[in-house]
Amino acid sequence: TNLTVVAPKTGIDKVATLMALKLVSAVPVVDEKFHLLGIVSEGDLLTRADTGTLPRPSWWLRLFGDADELARQYTKSHGLTAEDVMVRHIVCVGPETTADQIADIMRRRKIKRVPVTEDGKLVGIVSRADIVQMLALRSADRKSGPRPDAEIQDDVMARLGKEEWAATQFL
């Protein structure tokens, strides 16, 4: 619920700086009433004309590609504000959605974060890191208290050693 958000007209240079300073991989774009409009992620900033990271489209795509899609890609790679580069169609959940349900949505949709909205307003965001932290806390709660990283790693390796599929992959 401790959210880092940006307004639609925020420049992408400020978006990138904010993401780097706050150590987040994405920022929700909200209006003045905190309605979710979209999300700008690291992936949305990877292919930019101004950084020289723009892939050259194939001649085939330029000749036969969907003009609307090519225009969207151009706007995204040359856009100057959060609203130019943000993803607009976002999968959201409500506050009562369980962690297991959120993890399933992330897996099926191949997404890294899910905004939590209530009455149309952004109230939180759950990332894959949040799910992993929850799993770690569940594991720690089963014992008498927090465990050292080395002990957790030893347990993970021991469990992997018992799995036939993992024997050639990790050990």
Side-chain angles (χ1 to χ4, degrees), residues 48-49 65 77 90 96 112 116 118 139 150 158 162 164 167 170:
R48 301 276 314 150
S77 63
I90 308 297
E96 302 304 317
K112 298 178 181 178
V116 180
E118 186 171 30
S139 177
K162 295 176 184 175
E164 188 175 310
F170 301 104

Side-chain angles (χ1 to χ4, degrees), residues 16-31:
T17 300
L18 184 63
M19 289 168 62
L21 290 174
K22 295 289 187 168
L23 300 174
V24 295
S25 61
V27 290
V29 181
V30 297
D31 66 13

Side-chain angles (χ1 to χ4, degrees), residues 129-143 145-147 149 152:
D130 295 325
I131 299 292
V132 171
Q133 288 175 359
M134 181 209 57
L135 292 172
L137 289 174
R138 280 185 186 172
S139 177
D141 286 345
R142 289 185 198 123
K143 303 265 181 175
R147 298 170 46 200
D149 289 348
I152 294 170

Side-chain angles (χ1 to χ4, degrees), residues 40-104:
V40 177
S41 71
E42 292 168 331
D44 298 317
L45 301 177
L46 280 181
T47 53
R48 301 276 314 150
D50 52 359
T51 60
T53 57
L54 191 60
R56 185 179 169 130
S58 70
W59 67 271
W60 183 259
L61 183 60
R62 286 192 308 249
L63 188 59
F64 295 107
D66 175 24
D68 290 338
E69 179 58 25
L70 292 172
R72 277 190 291 277
Q73 288 175 4
Y74 182 88
T75 299
K76 193 170 187 102
S77 63
H78 291 77
L80 301 177
T81 63
E83 68 184 339
D84 293 336
V85 302
M86 70 184 183
V87 173
R88 296 171 188 275
H89 302 289
I90 308 297
V91 176
C92 297
V93 297
E96 302 304 317
T97 308
T98 67
D100 293 340
Q101 291 169 322
I102 293 171
D104 186 55

